[in-house]
Amino acid sequence: MTTIDPTTVPPFPIYTLELDARGRLQLDGFTIPVSVGEDPIQAGHQAIAERARNEGLRAVRVRAVAGDVVTALVVTDDGAVHSLGQIDAEASPRHRPRWVIGAVAGLAVVALGSVGFAVAAGAGAFDPPRPTAAPVYTPPGQGARLPVFPPPGFSPDASWSLPVRSGSTPIAVNDSEAALILDDGTLSVRSLSDAREQWRSISGTSGTRVELAQIAGTRVLVSAAGAGLTAWNLDSDQGASQAYSFPTGGKLSVDGSAPLMTLPNQTAGIVTSEGARTVDIPATSTAVLAREDSVIAANGEVWWEVSADNRLSSNLMPVPDGADGQPRTIRGVDDQHIVVVWPTGGRAIISLVDLERNEIIATAAASTASIGTNATLLRSVDGDTAVLGSVFIDHGDNPAVIPLDRMIPTAVDGDTVYGTSSGVPVLATRDADFNAEPFTDQTAGDREPVVVATGDVVLVVADKLRDHNVYATQREIR
């Protein structure tokens, strides 16, 4: 077998091999069949070696999990295994070796030691390349038939698919990657084109959704946790997380670039380079969004920027013609734009305000229910369009506010919005005045909307027997 020099093995990808309490063996969420009398540990290692060969890799990092015991491994494409030792899963990340931070988990050392591998560790180099054709990487679940209708123009066969936590929703990290919550709560960033893993967290989340944000200029995934939030650093290959606590629980939102915790008693929580901070927002105002080191708060007369050290700067709120009374809702779209829903008779006027210019750049008449206090904000990866509640917003070169009548949006990609109407998956485009069109005129079968859309790839989440899967499908070439 191949002699292993662990220092030459790249930090990614990192496979997860897990033996659960019921004796099931899983590799990155997929069950590995174990024959009667077969050693499950050896079966797992052979499955890793086979996958490494398929992906054209000479050796890979592995985090193996057996109960509370964690072991870091390196496994070569011919099945040689080298243990890098047991890891304390509760230890602070700063005390762990750099690559191990990105590869926490493993099979029990006791189980590993019983296998008896012929492995040479440390100083040896890899054998010279064998004169064989390079193995072709096969994305997981490639070719799986979607159990639901894809959007028009997209393939009914998945370019890849993976099991994810039930109830979870993937989010786009950029135009080529998406973050998934795996069944065990681990966060995994995958390439949209072929599901290659780009990043993996050490610790997981108990929830079903994370948000993309920035803290002190660093990209993070954030999730509410108790009386605070947890942030996972996407700009580090270590996969480490940091918990931030506030005096009391609140509501997490990311309507700006940074996470905002709306706390009781006119207080907002933010996270700066110095850690968690609370700021006081003016009486009668609402905390709208958080920037890197400040909070935007507003009411119907004034909007304020409140710095991390509680300094205030104020501006008069621009009010559209016909507005009557105080706003029903004020929400952020990004650091420089807010949306204000003003009552006018039995309807509402929705204004899009550019904070830098302090002026309204677009308005529209809409139902008062178009944007509620808890409306979901969906952003396009191109950065210029978004959907808030059931309203399309363009804050780029062609600013606009356009109600999406009778549609519940689930994803936005530039000028295309995906969602449901009366429970049926639909899409709507700006050049067609956002008239929602169903994916198909057939009424039979399961139906699920698109949850991530980036140009030529969309993600759909659907159940398949006992699994909750994310399916990637690509636009068909005509």
Side-chain angles (χ1 to χ4, degrees), residues 321-334:
D321 293 338
D324 181 19
Q326 288 293 313
R328 292 180 178 272
T329 306
I330 306 175
R331 290 285 301 272
V333 180
D334 66 1

mmCIF file with all atom_site columns, all heavy atoms in Angstrom, residues 321-334:
data_model
loop_
_atom_site.group_PDB
_atom_site.id
_atom_site.type_symbol
_atom_site.label_atom_id
_atom_site.label_alt_id
_atom_site.label_comp_id
_atom_site.label_asym_id
_atom_site.label_entity_id
_atom_site.label_seq_id
_atom_site.pdbx_PDB_ins_code
_atom_site.Cartn_x
_atom_site.Cartn_y
_atom_site.Cartn_z
_atom_site.occupancy
_atom_site.B_iso_or_equiv
_atom_site.pdbx_formal_charge
_atom_site.auth_seq_id
_atom_site.auth_comp_id
_atom_site.auth_asym_id
_atom_site.auth_atom_id
_atom_site.pdbx_PDB_model_num
ATOM 1   N N   . ASP A 1 321 ? -45.599 61.198 -2.029 1.00 0.00 ? 321 ASP A N   1
ATOM 2   C CA  . ASP A 1 321 ? -46.905 61.853 -2.132 1.00 0.00 ? 321 ASP A CA  1
ATOM 3   C C   . ASP A 1 321 ? -48.004 60.826 -1.876 1.00 0.00 ? 321 ASP A C   1
ATOM 4   O O   . ASP A 1 321 ? -47.954 59.694 -2.363 1.00 0.00 ? 321 ASP A O   1
ATOM 5   C CB  . ASP A 1 321 ? -47.090 62.457 -3.523 1.00 0.00 ? 321 ASP A CB  1
ATOM 6   C CG  . ASP A 1 321 ? -46.133 63.607 -3.795 1.00 0.00 ? 321 ASP A CG  1
ATOM 7   O OD1 . ASP A 1 321 ? -45.642 64.203 -2.812 1.00 0.00 ? 321 ASP A OD1 1
ATOM 8   O OD2 . ASP A 1 321 ? -45.871 63.891 -4.980 1.00 0.00 ? 321 ASP A OD2 1
ATOM 9   N N   . GLY A 1 322 ? -49.006 61.244 -1.086 1.00 0.00 ? 322 GLY A N   1
ATOM 10  C CA  . GLY A 1 322 ? -50.142 60.386 -0.812 1.00 0.00 ? 322 GLY A CA  1
ATOM 11  C C   . GLY A 1 322 ? -50.011 59.546 0.440  1.00 0.00 ? 322 GLY A C   1
ATOM 12  O O   . GLY A 1 322 ? -50.972 58.896 0.843  1.00 0.00 ? 322 GLY A O   1
ATOM 13  N N   . ALA A 1 323 ? -48.819 59.532 1.051  1.00 0.00 ? 323 ALA A N   1
ATOM 14  C CA  . ALA A 1 323 ? -48.645 58.750 2.282  1.00 0.00 ? 323 ALA A CA  1
ATOM 15  C C   . ALA A 1 323 ? -49.462 59.353 3.406  1.00 0.00 ? 323 ALA A C   1
ATOM 16  O O   . ALA A 1 323 ? -49.579 60.581 3.534  1.00 0.00 ? 323 ALA A O   1
ATOM 17  C CB  . ALA A 1 323 ? -47.181 58.700 2.668  1.00 0.00 ? 323 ALA A CB  1
ATOM 18  N N   . ASP A 1 324 ? -50.025 58.488 4.245  1.00 0.00 ? 324 ASP A N   1
ATOM 19  C CA  . ASP A 1 324 ? -50.917 58.951 5.301  1.00 0.00 ? 324 ASP A CA  1
ATOM 20  C C   . ASP A 1 324 ? -50.553 58.263 6.611  1.00 0.00 ? 324 ASP A C   1
ATOM 21  O O   . ASP A 1 324 ? -50.833 57.084 6.815  1.00 0.00 ? 324 ASP A O   1
ATOM 22  C CB  . ASP A 1 324 ? -52.369 58.636 4.908  1.00 0.00 ? 324 ASP A CB  1
ATOM 23  C CG  . ASP A 1 324 ? -53.366 59.109 5.949  1.00 0.00 ? 324 ASP A CG  1
ATOM 24  O OD1 . ASP A 1 324 ? -53.003 59.979 6.766  1.00 0.00 ? 324 ASP A OD1 1
ATOM 25  O OD2 . ASP A 1 324 ? -54.511 58.606 5.931  1.00 0.00 ? 324 ASP A OD2 1
ATOM 26  N N   . GLY A 1 325 ? -49.907 59.003 7.516  1.00 0.00 ? 325 GLY A N   1
ATOM 27  C CA  . GLY A 1 325 ? -49.578 58.447 8.818  1.00 0.00 ? 325 GLY A CA  1
ATOM 28  C C   . GLY A 1 325 ? -48.199 57.812 8.848  1.00 0.00 ? 325 GLY A C   1
ATOM 29  O O   . GLY A 1 325 ? -47.353 58.026 7.981  1.00 0.00 ? 325 GLY A O   1
ATOM 30  N N   . GLN A 1 326 ? -48.000 57.016 9.886  1.00 0.00 ? 326 GLN A N   1
ATOM 31  C CA  . GLN A 1 326 ? -46.703 56.371 10.097 1.00 0.00 ? 326 GLN A CA  1
ATOM 32  C C   . GLN A 1 326 ? -46.568 55.113 9.236  1.00 0.00 ? 326 GLN A C   1
ATOM 33  O O   . GLN A 1 326 ? -47.561 54.454 8.914  1.00 0.00 ? 326 GLN A O   1
ATOM 34  C CB  . GLN A 1 326 ? -46.544 55.995 11.571 1.00 0.00 ? 326 GLN A CB  1
ATOM 35  C CG  . GLN A 1 326 ? -46.323 57.182 12.491 1.00 0.00 ? 326 GLN A CG  1
ATOM 36  C CD  . GLN A 1 326 ? -44.981 57.854 12.231 1.00 0.00 ? 326 GLN A CD  1
ATOM 37  O OE1 . GLN A 1 326 ? -43.947 57.197 12.121 1.00 0.00 ? 326 GLN A OE1 1
ATOM 38  N NE2 . GLN A 1 326 ? -45.015 59.178 12.119 1.00 0.00 ? 326 GLN A NE2 1
ATOM 39  N N   . PRO A 1 327 ? -45.339 54.735 8.859  1.00 0.00 ? 327 PRO A N   1
ATOM 40  C CA  . PRO A 1 327 ? -45.143 53.528 8.044  1.00 0.00 ? 327 PRO A CA  1
ATOM 41  C C   . PRO A 1 327 ? -45.636 52.275 8.768  1.00 0.00 ? 327 PRO A C   1
ATOM 42  O O   . PRO A 1 327 ? -45.530 52.158 9.985  1.00 0.00 ? 327 PRO A O   1
ATOM 43  C CB  . PRO A 1 327 ? -43.626 53.486 7.848  1.00 0.00 ? 327 PRO A CB  1
ATOM 44  C CG  . PRO A 1 327 ? -43.151 54.882 8.087  1.00 0.00 ? 327 PRO A CG  1
ATOM 45  C CD  . PRO A 1 327 ? -44.073 55.442 9.131  1.00 0.00 ? 327 PRO A CD  1
ATOM 46  N N   . ARG A 1 328 ? -46.140 51.352 7.982  1.00 0.00 ? 328 ARG A N   1
ATOM 47  C CA  . ARG A 1 328 ? -46.512 50.047 8.526  1.00 0.00 ? 328 ARG A CA  1
ATOM 48  C C   . ARG A 1 328 ? -45.277 49.178 8.750  1.00 0.00 ? 328 ARG A C   1
ATOM 49  O O   . ARG A 1 328 ? -45.199 48.423 9.707  1.00 0.00 ? 328 ARG A O   1
ATOM 50  C CB  . ARG A 1 328 ? -47.477 49.336 7.569  1.00 0.00 ? 328 ARG A CB  1
ATOM 51  C CG  . ARG A 1 328 ? -48.842 49.981 7.448  1.00 0.00 ? 328 ARG A CG  1
ATOM 52  C CD  . ARG A 1 328 ? -49.708 49.198 6.473  1.00 0.00 ? 328 ARG A CD  1
ATOM 53  N NE  . ARG A 1 328 ? -51.036 49.770 6.367  1.00 0.00 ? 328 ARG A NE  1
ATOM 54  C CZ  . ARG A 1 328 ? -52.063 49.458 7.147  1.00 0.00 ? 328 ARG A CZ  1
ATOM 55  N NH1 . ARG A 1 328 ? -51.885 48.560 8.109  1.00 0.00 ? 328 ARG A NH1 1
ATOM 56  N NH2 . ARG A 1 328 ? -53.233 50.021 6.989  1.00 0.00 ? 328 ARG A NH2 1
ATOM 57  N N   . THR A 1 329 ? -44.322 49.284 7.849  1.00 0.00 ? 329 THR A N   1
ATOM 58  C CA  . THR A 1 329 ? -43.118 48.464 7.901  1.00 0.00 ? 329 THR A CA  1
ATOM 59  C C   . THR A 1 329 ? -41.955 49.238 7.309  1.00 0.00 ? 329 THR A C   1
ATOM 60  O O   . THR A 1 329 ? -42.130 49.965 6.332  1.00 0.00 ? 329 THR A O   1
ATOM 61  C CB  . THR A 1 329 ? -43.293 47.152 7.101  1.00 0.00 ? 329 THR A CB  1
ATOM 62  O OG1 . THR A 1 329 ? -44.453 46.471 7.562  1.00 0.00 ? 329 THR A OG1 1
ATOM 63  C CG2 . THR A 1 329 ? -42.079 46.241 7.258  1.00 0.00 ? 329 THR A CG2 1
ATOM 64  N N   . ILE A 1 330 ? -40.773 49.082 7.910  1.00 0.00 ? 330 ILE A N   1
ATOM 65  C CA  . ILE A 1 330 ? -39.532 49.609 7.340  1.00 0.00 ? 330 ILE A CA  1
ATOM 66  C C   . ILE A 1 330 ? -38.521 48.472 7.346  1.00 0.00 ? 330 ILE A C   1
ATOM 67  O O   . ILE A 1 330 ? -38.239 47.900 8.397  1.00 0.00 ? 330 ILE A O   1
ATOM 68  C CB  . ILE A 1 330 ? -38.977 50.805 8.139  1.00 0.00 ? 330 ILE A CB  1
ATOM 69  C CG1 . ILE A 1 330 ? -40.038 51.900 8.297  1.00 0.00 ? 330 ILE A CG1 1
ATOM 70  C CG2 . ILE A 1 330 ? -37.730 51.372 7.461  1.00 0.00 ? 330 ILE A CG2 1
ATOM 71  C CD1 . ILE A 1 330 ? -39.589 53.066 9.177  1.00 0.00 ? 330 ILE A CD1 1
ATOM 72  N N   . ARG A 1 331 ? -37.996 48.153 6.174  1.00 0.00 ? 331 ARG A N   1
ATOM 73  C CA  . ARG A 1 331 ? -37.060 47.041 6.064  1.00 0.00 ? 331 ARG A CA  1
ATOM 74  C C   . ARG A 1 331 ? -35.855 47.456 5.229  1.00 0.00 ? 331 ARG A C   1
ATOM 75  O O   . ARG A 1 331 ? -35.935 48.335 4.381  1.00 0.00 ? 331 ARG A O   1
ATOM 76  C CB  . ARG A 1 331 ? -37.739 45.837 5.408  1.00 0.00 ? 331 ARG A CB  1
ATOM 77  C CG  . ARG A 1 331 ? -38.793 45.153 6.278  1.00 0.00 ? 331 ARG A CG  1
ATOM 78  C CD  . ARG A 1 331 ? -38.145 44.328 7.388  1.00 0.00 ? 331 ARG A CD  1
ATOM 79  N NE  . ARG A 1 331 ? -37.262 43.308 6.846  1.00 0.00 ? 331 ARG A NE  1
ATOM 80  C CZ  . ARG A 1 331 ? -37.670 42.090 6.491  1.00 0.00 ? 331 ARG A CZ  1
ATOM 81  N NH1 . ARG A 1 331 ? -38.933 41.726 6.631  1.00 0.00 ? 331 ARG A NH1 1
ATOM 82  N NH2 . ARG A 1 331 ? -36.784 41.211 6.011  1.00 0.00 ? 331 ARG A NH2 1
ATOM 83  N N   . GLY A 1 332 ? -34.742 46.780 5.457  1.00 0.00 ? 332 GLY A N   1
ATOM 84  C CA  . GLY A 1 332 ? -33.556 47.012 4.653  1.00 0.00 ? 332 GLY A CA  1
ATOM 85  C C   . GLY A 1 332 ? -33.484 46.062 3.476  1.00 0.00 ? 332 GLY A C   1
ATOM 86  O O   . GLY A 1 332 ? -34.058 44.964 3.501  1.00 0.00 ? 332 GLY A O   1
ATOM 87  N N   . VAL A 1 333 ? -32.775 46.487 2.428  1.00 0.00 ? 333 VAL A N   1
ATOM 88  C CA  . VAL A 1 333 ? -32.505 45.650 1.271  1.00 0.00 ? 333 VAL A CA  1
ATOM 89  C C   . VAL A 1 333 ? -31.008 45.375 1.177  1.00 0.00 ? 333 VAL A C   1
ATOM 90  O O   . VAL A 1 333 ? -30.585 44.267 0.863  1.00 0.00 ? 333 VAL A O   1
ATOM 91  C CB  . VAL A 1 333 ? -33.006 46.307 -0.027 1.00 0.00 ? 333 VAL A CB  1
ATOM 92  C CG1 . VAL A 1 333 ? -32.716 45.415 -1.234 1.00 0.00 ? 333 VAL A CG1 1
ATOM 93  C CG2 . VAL A 1 333 ? -34.490 46.604 0.061  1.00 0.00 ? 333 VAL A CG2 1
ATOM 94  N N   . ASP A 1 334 ? -30.208 46.392 1.430  1.00 0.00 ? 334 ASP A N   1
ATOM 95  C CA  . ASP A 1 334 ? -28.761 46.260 1.574  1.00 0.00 ? 334 ASP A CA  1
ATOM 96  C C   . ASP A 1 334 ? -28.302 47.458 2.399  1.00 0.00 ? 334 ASP A C   1
ATOM 97  O O   . ASP A 1 334 ? -29.124 48.187 2.963  1.00 0.00 ? 334 ASP A O   1
ATOM 98  C CB  . ASP A 1 334 ? -28.048 46.159 0.220  1.00 0.00 ? 334 ASP A CB  1
ATOM 99  C CG  . ASP A 1 334 ? -28.146 47.432 -0.622 1.00 0.00 ? 334 ASP A CG  1
ATOM 100 O OD1 . ASP A 1 334 ? -28.750 48.435 -0.160 1.00 0.00 ? 334 ASP A OD1 1
ATOM 101 O OD2 . ASP A 1 334 ? -27.614 47.437 -1.745 1.00 0.00 ? 334 ASP A OD2 1
#
